[in-house]
């Protein structure tokens, strides 16, 4: 298994190009199942999760053509996928494929909406709490689907098609909102999604669905209204930049010091995180090409932060912020409100000499001047990258093991960081 070796202590200086958002690319690819026309997606990141979803779609009979760069494309432009679900040959998504990635479960929505049946294995993905699918099932049942759990599979039937309904989510759920939105586009009549997730990735998917002929209003607000249509058409859509990747590199620069342009980043997608970084001592300057992040010689300040649905501080940046706060002056408090058990990075950060105590959903981090490199590993994507951030600032060598999860969500991580002066390399095998 590949590992990443880091020798800490270098400042980061230069430019990092921000890739397309994984969490938008995955539902956008899934939405291709809604139409027998071709959906063309630009700026799709080259990630293990994207490749995995390509395999899952292939299993349903979807043809995917990947095209290379075109004249005028920048060096770092993501890939373009031409996705054609002209004929769906199989409405089952098997355990072997779905168990590797939670978002693959979402194929259930376009399959039931277009084909009237779907059989999808209960999902896997990052080990960050129980992550049930009860609300996704509730949404599909509201739209008239009959659902049974059989042998680890969710078996979903709606032979006469789905019917519009009001879906009121008891808690904000990104996955629930994606599933409800996709399914409602082809349902008969009007669907109202209450307490909908407002995440930018939901808005990006809604924008693409609109171009495909869907009738949607209110995406980006807590109330989304969908008028069902008979069919959707193909279109061309560019995946929005990854706000979590942006925030991660911004925290890396705040950690090491230096001055980095995050090219292609959109600051409004992560304002709450940028506000926290400013409070911690970073200098954030939005400009025409993205966001510039710098930190001068002054130390970092402690912060108090709770994760929350968008526009709050994202849970997907919680681990990275905790790594950063291990070097701040004073005590920081970080409360995780979205996922239980999303603190697996705490014991690994302790290997660097970080002082963190946990009390229920809240971590207290006592900052220290000195982190020391260590062998570490993590079992989820964002936790893994928090260890890289700690390693960049730690004295001596850090070896991050089991980097499979990093490859799921961060494109060319070691390449992007080493181009800015980090001493970081991938060791194969
Ligand atoms: C998505 C993101 C993930 C991010 C999360 C929260 C993708 C591919 N993943 O995950 O990176 O951390 O949003 O911003 O976009 N819940 C239920 N029942 C359900 C569904 C969810 O109880 O049926 C709970 C979850 O356990 C969690 C909360 O709702 O406590 C939010 O989960 P959700 O927003 O659905 O997260 P994901 O879509 O899985």
């Amino acid at each position: 298994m590949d590992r990443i070796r880091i020798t800490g202590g270098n400042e980061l200086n230069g430019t990092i190009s921000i890739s397309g958002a994984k969490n938008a690319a995955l539902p956008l690819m899934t939405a291709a199942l809604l139409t027998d026309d071709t959906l063309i997606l630009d700026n799709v990141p080259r990630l293990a999760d994207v490749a995995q979803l390509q395999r899952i779609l292939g299993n349903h009979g979807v043809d995917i053509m990947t095209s290379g760069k075109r004249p005028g494309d920048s060096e770092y432009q993501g890939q373009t996928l031409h996705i054609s679900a002209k004929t769906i040959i199989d409405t089952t998504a098997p355990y072997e494929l779905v168990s590797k990635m939670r978002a693959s479960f979402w194929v259930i929505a376009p399959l039931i909406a277009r084909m009237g049946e779907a059989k999808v294995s209960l999902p896997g993905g990052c080990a960050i709490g129980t992550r049930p699918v009860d609300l996704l099932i509730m949404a599909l049942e509201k739209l008239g689907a009959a659902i049974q759990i059989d042998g680890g599979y969710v078996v979903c039937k709606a032979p006469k098609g789905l019917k519009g309904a009001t879906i009121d989510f008891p808690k904000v759920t990104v996955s629930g909102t994606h599933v409800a939105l996709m399914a409602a586009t082809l349902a008969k009549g009007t669907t109202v999604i209450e307490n909908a997730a407002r995440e930018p990735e939901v808005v990006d998917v809604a924008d693409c669905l609109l171009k495909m002929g869907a009738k949607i209003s209110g995406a980006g607000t807590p109330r989304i209204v969908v008028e069902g249509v008979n069919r959707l058409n193909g279109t061309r859509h560019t995946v929005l930049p990854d706000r979590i990747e942006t925030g991660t590199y911004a925290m890396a620069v705040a950690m090491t010091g230096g001055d980095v342009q995050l090219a292609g980043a959109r600051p409004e997608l992560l304002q709450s995180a940028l506000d926290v970084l400013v409070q911690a001592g970073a200098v954030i300057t939005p400009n025409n090409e993205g966001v510039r992040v710098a930190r001068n010689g002054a130390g970092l300040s402690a912060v108090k932060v709770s994760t929350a649905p968008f526009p709050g501080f994202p849970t997907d940046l919680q681990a990275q912020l905790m790594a950063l706060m291990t070097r701040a002056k004073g005590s920081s408090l970080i409360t995780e409100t979205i996922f239980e058990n999303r603190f697996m990075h705490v014991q690994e950060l302790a290997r660097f000499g970080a002082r963190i105590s946990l009390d229920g959903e809240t971590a207290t981090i006592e900052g220290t001047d000195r982190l020391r490199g260590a062998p570490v590993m993590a079992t989820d994507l964002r936790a893994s990258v928090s260890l890289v951030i700690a390693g960049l600032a730690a004295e001596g060598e850090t070896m991050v093991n089991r980097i499979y999860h990093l490859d799921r969500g961060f494109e060319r991580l070691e390449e992007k960081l080493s181009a800015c002066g980090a001493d970081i390399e991938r060791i194969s095998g």
Side-chain angles (χ1 to χ4, degrees):
M1 235 186 260
D2 288 4
R3 293 172 294 164
I4 283 182
R5 180 165 57 205
I6 305 165
T7 305
N10 293 3
E11 277 191 356
L12 294 172
N13 285 291
T15 299
I16 294 178
S17 289
I18 298 304
S19 300
K22 168 179 90 74
N23 285 356
L26 298 177
L28 284 166
M29 289 168 69
T30 305
L33 285 167
L34 287 165
T35 173
D36 56 8
D37 283 349
T38 302
L39 175 64
I40 305 175
L41 296 176
D42 294 306
N43 201 30
V44 177
R46 290 176 178 79
L47 296 170
D49 271 7
V50 167
Q52 179 63 11
L53 186 54
Q54 285 182 243
R55 280 190 280 278
I56 290 165
L57 294 177
N59 185 64
H60 296 300
V62 177
D63 286 324
I64 303 182
M65 194 189 81
T66 310
S67 55
K69 296 195 194 325
R70 293 172 298 171
D73 280 357
S74 78
E75 188 189 347
Y76 291 128
Q77 203 133 1
Q79 56 189 335
T80 294
L81 300 183
H82 298 245
I83 310 176
S84 166
K86 191 166 177 42
T87 316
I88 293 178
I89 56 169
D90 192 343
T91 53
T92 298
Y95 172 80
E96 304 74 59
L97 294 173
V98 180
S99 58
K100 295 207 174 77
M101 180 179 58
R102 184 177 158 83
S104 53
F105 183 80
W106 305 351
V107 297
I108 198 166
L111 288 176
I112 185 72
R114 180 165 154 205
M115 305 299 288
E117 60 170 42
K119 183 177 170 191
V120 180
S121 169
L122 286 161
C126 281
I128 49 171
T130 49
R131 302 188 86 176
V133 289
D134 56 323
L135 299 176
L136 283 61
I137 290 174
M138 177 278 278
L140 294 173
E141 281 179 336
K142 287 270 183 210
L143 294 173
I147 294 185
Q148 281 185 323
I149 311 286
D150 185 13
Y153 281 78
V154 178
V155 183
C156 192
K157 293 207 165 90
K160 292 191 183 137
L162 298 174
K163 273 171 67 184
T166 294
I167 301 166
D168 193 353
F169 285 114
K171 67 159 91 162
V172 177
T173 155
V174 173
S175 54
T177 306
H178 279 311
V179 160
L181 181 61
M182 280 192 253
T185 56
L186 291 180
K188 286 188 197 81
T190 307
T191 297
V192 180
I193 307 172
E194 300 279 8
N195 200 22
R198 288 181 278 163
E199 267 64 6
E201 294 76 19
V202 169
V203 179
D204 203 36
V205 171
D207 284 347
C208 179
L209 290 170
L210 280 167
K211 287 191 260 174
M212 290 168 74
K215 296 202 170 121
I216 301 168
S217 59
T221 77
R223 187 168 196 267
I224 302 178
V225 180
V226 186
E227 295 291 341
V229 295
N230 285 335
R231 77 174 289 276
L232 295 175
N233 48 260
T235 192
R236 183 162 199 151
H237 185 79
T238 301
V239 178
L240 92 171
D242 196 315
R243 66 195 164 100
I244 304 304
E245 191 196 25
T246 306
T248 300
Y249 288 125
M251 291 196 198
V253 179
M255 184 70 152
T256 60
D259 190 336
V260 171
Q261 170 73 15
L262 299 174
R266 278 174 43 193
E268 74 278 11
L269 302 182
L270 71 160
Q271 198 54 56
S272 59
L274 296 179
D275 290 346
V276 169
L277 278 172
V278 168
Q279 229 182 307
V283 180
I284 308 279
T285 319
N287 51 41
N288 285 343
E289 283 84 41
V291 186
R292 193 167 150 195
V293 183
R295 188 169 70 77
N296 56 27
L300 290 162
S301 307
V303 297
K304 186 176 170 211
V305 170
S306 281
T307 61
F310 191 84
F313 186 92
T315 173
D316 284 351
L317 287 174
Q318 181 256 106
Q320 298 89 316
L321 179 66
M322 195 176 300
L324 180 63
M325 287 300 105
T326 62
R327 292 286 306 277
K329 197 167 170 359
S331 312
S332 301
L333 289 179
I334 301 183
T335 302
E336 172 58 53
T337 70
I338 310 287
F339 292 110
E340 83 269 28
N341 197 19
R342 198 172 199 178
F343 279 133
M344 265 127 20
H345 41 286
V346 168
Q347 59 185 25
E348 294 301 299
L349 288 171
R351 293 181 196 276
F352 293 94
R355 294 174 301 172
I356 306 170
S357 59
L358 278 179
D359 181 9
E361 296 174 338
T362 299
T364 305
I365 305 110
E366 301 293 343
T368 166
D369 285 343
R370 218 175 138 217
L371 298 177
R372 286 177 305 279
V376 288
M377 66 171 207
T379 49
D380 91 67
L381 168 58
R382 313 305 178 182
S384 299
V385 85
S386 77
L387 304 177
V388 172
I389 291 178
L392 290 173
E395 286 170 18
E397 186 178 289
T398 291
M399 189 70 81
V400 184
N401 295 292
R402 236 208 256 184
I403 59 167
Y404 158 74
H405 282 284
L406 280 177
D407 292 333
R408 289 186 43 212
F410 288 92
E411 192 179 45
R412 298 180 297 106
L413 173 93
E414 66 280 9
E415 217 180 295
K416 290 186 184 189
L417 286 169
S418 64
C420 288
D423 187 346
I424 179 168
E425 62 172 343
R426 177 182 290 252
I427 301 170
S428 300

